[in-house]
Amino acid sequence: MKKVIYLVACCLSLLACNKDDDKVSGPVITLGEGFEEVENLNVGEELTVPVNVKAAAGIRRLAYYFITQTANGTASTTPVYIDKTDYPTELNENIVFKVPQNMVELVIISFDKQMKNTEKHIVPKNVRLTPVLTFKDNVKFRASVFENKQLTVEASFTSQHDVTALTYQTIVDGKANAESPITITNPKTMAFAATVTVVKNMSGIIIKAKNSYNGTALDTFKIGTVVDDAVTIALEGNKPNIAVVYAGIDNTLAGTVFSGSAVSTLTYAVKTNGVYGAELPVTIGTPKDEFIFSITYPGANGIQALRISGRNEGGKTIQTEYLVGKVYNKLLHIADIKLTTEIGAGKTNWFSTYSTPHVLDVAAAAGKQVMLDFLLYEHGATDYRISSAAAFNAGAAYSTAMAPYMAGFNTATYTLVTTNRPSLTTAAFDAINWDGELNDYIANKVKAPAAAGGENYNVNGTNRRFNNTLVVGTGFIIGWGTWTPINNEAFGIVMVKEYSVNNGVATVTLEVKAPAEDNRTKYNGGSTLSYP
């Protein structure tokens, strides 16, 4: 055995020696002057690194990639490969790149024909941030502008280092004109505007901010076309359509009208269930050739689109339809739900989302068996549970413990009752007020994989019927659907507001949000069990 160990040790030693020999005999990489040690770089700065590679065996590949800082440490970018099939013994290449955000180092690596490799690392001592430019409302495009009229582009910058130069320049006939200065009032952060007179073939306005280390940010406001006269409409934020309409409340659609001459009429109409309603007037602002408008309209189920029509004094017209993506409905919100494990007249053990009163004692619950969603009961000496009535058939312990709470019952409704969901914090619960927001939460925070920010919890396919870990400030999910086969289709959320146990009696205060549609009745046909 000792001989074997000695033999293995010798082999490993030889392998280590061979590995060292490989490093020594790999390609020789020489960087251009000034890149062996780099002091300072600016994010976004374009650099050209001259690289010379020599290898007696012939050069197979030259490659490079970045290592950047991340929240979890460091990460490598996708390598860029320069492959040579003729295996030259010497190679001269310029590596051209823009300094990335959070750069730690640039790794340059070369392989010879025998796959021996050598690396060079460019590690800057300091990577300085360049200014950050942002156009107002993130709008950086106008479909059409009007010749001989003024166009104002609004933007702002923030900068780690003082901005020393701020300019704009127009692009006409594909060429950038001379830069014009913008007065700097705050070198670290400020909003500003550039106003130009529109000429034919103007296609954009370049904004440039340069800091004290020559770190430069540049962005372009682009123009689709220059016209003599027309009417154009841009929604706030340059939105192409209406993402969400909220039913039951007033909704607002805002934007800006641009016109080559004064606007004479402006109206809107709402499309509901395939039919457009009456044309309603929109107030024309000042000046009449460019103004902000705001339309307030009642949200309702069935809304599909909103159409805006306009005409100017030059006889030019426009009619634009903005499609509605989704209609959200307000959730049913039930607060101050007080339940107890104590049984007796007026002692509320049961909860019903879709009937009133929402909390019931045993006697009252027996008269509303098919509308019950869950109860609070004592399962054991120190085990207190929120549970669906259908949990009675989960075993003898369940049926025995729940029997006093189900006196006079002949049916038991199934409701999904999950364990506490880590994502359902008080803040998350408070932020969910519409059915679309609830659907997004279920899809993106509960059902989605962990890698996508979810819990990877199959809330549709689980038949869990109780929660025995009630903690103030945490929430769980309830659901309605079919028992056989299990298919939960509609969901509500529950937040634990107060919880205490005194002398063997548990009391809890809950808050529930659920879709307004009566999902209890809707799914009772497939979720009601015979009792006992």
Side-chain angles (χ1 to χ4, degrees):
M1 178 62 74
K2 288 182 180 179
K3 289 182 180 179
V4 172
I5 294 172
Y6 178 75
L7 213 60
V8 170
C10 288
C11 289
L12 289 174
S13 177
L14 286 170
L15 286 171
C17 291
N18 287 338
K19 188 174 181 181
D20 289 341
D21 289 344
D22 286 348
K23 288 183 178 179
V24 171
S25 59
V28 177
I29 302 174
T30 304
L31 303 182
E33 186 178 354
F35 287 101
E36 291 292 344
E37 289 190 15
V38 177
E39 290 287 333
N40 300 299
L41 295 178
N42 295 316
V43 172
E45 177 183 2
E46 185 171 279
L47 293 181
T48 299
V49 181
V51 179
N52 174 267
V53 184
K54 293 179 181 178
I59 300 164
R60 178 186 294 272
R61 167 176 287 177
L62 175 66
Y64 66 92
Y65 61 92
F66 294 96
I67 296 176
T68 58
Q69 192 72 44
T70 69
N72 299 318
T74 59
S76 300
T77 62
T78 303
V80 176
Y81 299 114
I82 303 168
D83 291 330
K84 296 296 177 181
T85 56
D86 56 344
Y87 306 112
T89 56
E90 183 172 4
L91 177 65
N92 288 291
E93 287 283 347
N94 285 332
I95 294 177
V96 181
F97 64 93
K98 287 187 177 180
V99 178
Q101 193 91 1
N102 301 317
M103 175 182 172
V104 175
E105 60 180 294
L106 171 66
V107 181
I108 300 171
I109 184 169
S110 182
F111 295 83
D112 68 13
K113 191 175 181 179
Q114 298 175 0
M115 295 304 293
K116 297 174 183 177
N117 68 83
T118 307
E119 294 182 6
K120 282 282 188 176
H121 296 250
I122 297 178
V123 184
K125 294 181 180 179
N126 185 28
V127 177
R128 297 179 294 228
L129 297 176
T130 54
V132 177
L133 284 171
T134 306
F135 287 103
K136 185 178 179 181
D137 298 326
N138 292 314
V139 175
K140 53 192 296 185
F141 173 75
R142 179 85 63 80
S144 59
V145 295
F146 308 106
E147 187 179 1
N148 298 322
K149 299 195 77 169
Q150 287 194 324
L151 171 64
T152 299
V153 174
E154 296 181 78
S156 61
F157 72 76
T158 57
S159 183
Q160 181 183 34
H161 307 287
D162 285 359
V163 169
T164 55
L166 182 64
T167 63
Y168 70 91
Q169 56 190 140
T170 58
I171 304 172
V172 180
D173 292 321
K175 297 178 181 179
N177 291 322
E179 295 182 16
S180 298
I182 299 172
T183 301
I184 299 170
T185 57
N186 184 333
K188 288 289 196 297
T189 179
M190 65 172 273
F192 59 90
T195 301
V196 302
T197 299
V198 176
V199 298
K200 282 186 178 181
N201 301 322
M202 181 182 288
S203 59
I205 300 171
I206 300 171
I207 306 292
K208 188 185 296 183
K210 182 184 293 186
N211 67 21
S212 53
Y213 294 102
N214 288 322
T216 303
L218 181 149
D219 208 345
T220 303
F221 184 94
K222 295 181 179 180
I223 295 167
T225 184
V226 176
V227 297
D228 295 328
D229 190 14
V231 183
T232 62
I233 298 171
L235 294 187
E236 193 174 61
N238 245 18
K239 298 180 182 73
N241 286 301
I242 302 168
V244 177
V245 166
Y246 297 89
I249 64 171
D250 284 342
N251 290 248
T252 300
L253 185 67
T256 306
V257 176
F258 305 97
S259 179
S261 57
V263 173
S264 54
T265 61
L266 190 66
T267 62
Y268 78 95
V270 177
K271 184 179 182 180
T272 305
N273 296 324
V275 179
Y276 267 105
E279 292 287 337
L280 301 172
V282 179
T283 301
I284 297 172
T286 303
K288 292 184 177 182
D289 61 353
E290 184 176 331
F291 57 89
I292 294 173
F293 69 87
S294 181
I295 297 169
T296 300
Y297 62 97
N301 287 303
I303 288 183
Q304 298 166 300
L306 191 145
R307 183 180 66 202
I308 301 178
S309 304
R311 183 183 182 89
N312 68 13
E313 292 179 355
K316 302 296 183 181
T317 62
I318 188 172
Q319 188 173 84
T320 305
E321 182 180 65
Y322 299 101
L323 299 177
V324 172
K326 299 176 182 178
V327 177
Y328 284 2
N329 287 274
K330 194 77 171 176
L331 291 173
L332 181 63
H333 183 191
I334 308 168
D336 201 32
I337 301 163
K338 296 184 183 297
L339 301 178
T340 178
T341 57
E342 186 177 2
I343 298 173
K347 304 298 182 181
T348 52
N349 315 114
W350 289 91
F351 170 75
S352 171
T353 307
Y354 297 108
S355 69
T356 55
H358 294 294
V359 292
L360 307 97
D361 61 19
V362 170
K368 289 192 174 183
Q369 297 171 45
V370 296
M371 294 306 295
L372 302 177
D373 292 312
F374 57 77
L375 82 155
L376 176 67
Y377 79 102
E378 182 181 345
H379 188 77
T382 58
D383 187 351
Y384 307 100
R385 301 187 176 192
I386 293 286
S387 176
S388 161
F392 83 90
N393 69 355
Y398 290 85
S399 60
T400 300
M402 295 177 69
Y405 297 87
M406 299 180 72
F409 280 49
N410 54 32
T411 61
T413 50
Y414 162 70
T415 308
L416 167 72
V417 179
T418 74
T419 54
N420 299 330
R421 307 320 310 162
S423 59
L424 193 52
T425 61
T426 298
F429 182 89
D430 291 345
I432 298 171
N433 297 296
W434 298 86
D435 59 359
E437 295 171 344
L438 177 57
N439 292 339
D440 287 345
Y441 164 75
I442 295 293
N444 300 323
K445 296 299 182 182
V446 179
K447 294 168 61 175
E455 298 176 9
N456 198 32
Y457 184 67
N458 180 13
V459 74
N460 296 99
T462 181
N463 66 353
R464 188 175 180 89
R465 287 159 282 172
F466 73 92
N467 183 328
N468 64 341
T469 313
L470 300 177
V471 179
V472 174
T474 64
F476 56 93
I477 297 167
I478 57 175
W480 301 269
T482 57
W483 171 250
T484 306
I486 286 296
N487 183 24
N488 306 307
E489 297 189 59
F491 303 97
I493 50 177
V494 184
M495 178 56 57
V496 180
K497 306 295 288 187
E498 298 174 358
Y499 179 65
S500 63
V501 179
N502 293 299
N503 299 319
V505 175
T507 57
V508 67
T509 301
L510 306 173
E511 191 171 350
V512 169
K513 292 180 181 179
E517 181 184 9
D518 180 358
N519 287 296
R520 177 79 276 157
T521 302
K522 180 178 179 179
Y523 292 105
N524 263 349
S527 63
T528 303
L529 287 66
S530 296
Y531 179 82

